[in-house]
Amino acid sequence: MKKLFLAMIFGIISTFVYAAPFGLKMGMTIEEIAEQCEEEPSYVKDDIYLVKPTKSHPLFSYYAVYVNEKTGLYQIRAISDSVTCNDYGTEIQNAFNTVKDRIAKTYGKPRVINKVDASLSEYMKQDKNWFQAFKDGARQLSAIWGEKTELADNLVSVALDCVADTDFLSYDKAHLVLYYYFSNAKSVEDEQDDVF
């Protein structure tokens, strides 16, 4: 009976550990994050570490966590591999819609921003020039969760963004970037703003 009880407790605890995005929760220390990763976190700069979470998504290859000494984990970013696109941007738009719809299963319907710069010429607004306008910064495609609803997992917002590669050799490539902002991010901003 005691073994069964311990097994149930362990099962409940492990459910809570993996309930948050990529198994990472607000406020975790870098040591706690390391326990949820396949490799040791790699320090980049400031509060940023590259990690490889055990619980990851096959579309995303790169994960960055933002960990403050006082408040712990306050932001996660997941970045996809390059997506090679045709002139219509079909591939990045399809990847965006697929990921957006999957995230919506967890956090509900997002606000989608799919806009083109009004000053763009009619020729460049055509579908056949979608990717060029996107690469030039005249088009935006993103989704935001948490603007009018409260999110689970201590999140204040989740955002999915399409980003064009700026490398000259990658003229037809783009990435998806997924952002998770926890509620303790505000205290980190306030701490940083104390210098002004």
Side-chain angles (χ1 to χ4, degrees), residues 94-107:
N94 288 344
F96 170 84
N97 286 320
T98 298
V99 173
K100 172 186 62 75
D101 293 345
R102 292 173 111 180
I103 295 169
K105 291 178 185 177
T106 302
Y107 298 111

Side-chain angles (χ1 to χ4, degrees), residues 74-150:
Y74 63 93
Q75 185 183 144
I76 302 170
R77 290 187 188 182
I79 305 164
S80 73
D81 275 330
S82 291
V83 176
T84 303
C85 299
N86 62 19
D87 292 340
Y88 295 85
T90 307
E91 297 82 0
I92 194 67
Q93 292 184 67
N94 288 344
F96 170 84
N97 286 320
T98 298
V99 173
K100 172 186 62 75
D101 293 345
R102 292 173 111 180
I103 295 169
K105 291 178 185 177
T106 302
Y107 298 111
K109 187 177 179 180
R111 178 171 71 94
V112 175
I113 302 166
N114 186 0
K115 64 181 183 179
V116 61
D117 188 337
S119 65
L120 200 63
S121 72
E122 288 304 315
Y123 176 76
M124 286 305 293
K125 286 182 184 177
Q126 293 177 16
D127 287 344
K128 68 179 180 178
N129 295 313
W130 191 98
F131 191 77
Q132 186 60 51
F134 170 70
K135 189 162 180 66
D136 292 344
R139 280 195 177 274
Q140 179 185 3
L141 182 59
S142 56
I144 302 169
W145 290 262
E147 289 183 323
K148 295 180 182 176
T149 58
E150 195 170 311

Side-chain angles (χ1 to χ4, degrees), residues 142-169:
S142 56
I144 302 169
W145 290 262
E147 289 183 323
K148 295 180 182 176
T149 58
E150 195 170 311
L151 302 176
D153 304 323
N154 292 309
L155 290 163
V156 289
S157 69
V158 175
L160 178 65
D161 199 14
C162 294
V163 179
D165 282 6
T166 56
D167 183 7
F168 177 73
L169 299 174

Side-chain angles (χ1 to χ4, degrees), residues 7 19 22 30 35 41 61-62 65 69 74 79 83 105 107-108 112 123 139 141 144 170 174 183 186 189:
F22 310 113
I30 197 63
E35 292 174 11
S61 301
Y62 308 97
V65 292
E69 256 183 49
Y74 63 93
I79 305 164
V83 176
K105 291 178 185 177
Y107 298 111
V112 175
Y123 176 76
R139 280 195 177 274
L141 182 59
I144 302 169
S170 302
S183 58
K186 177 78 171 111
E189 288 174 9

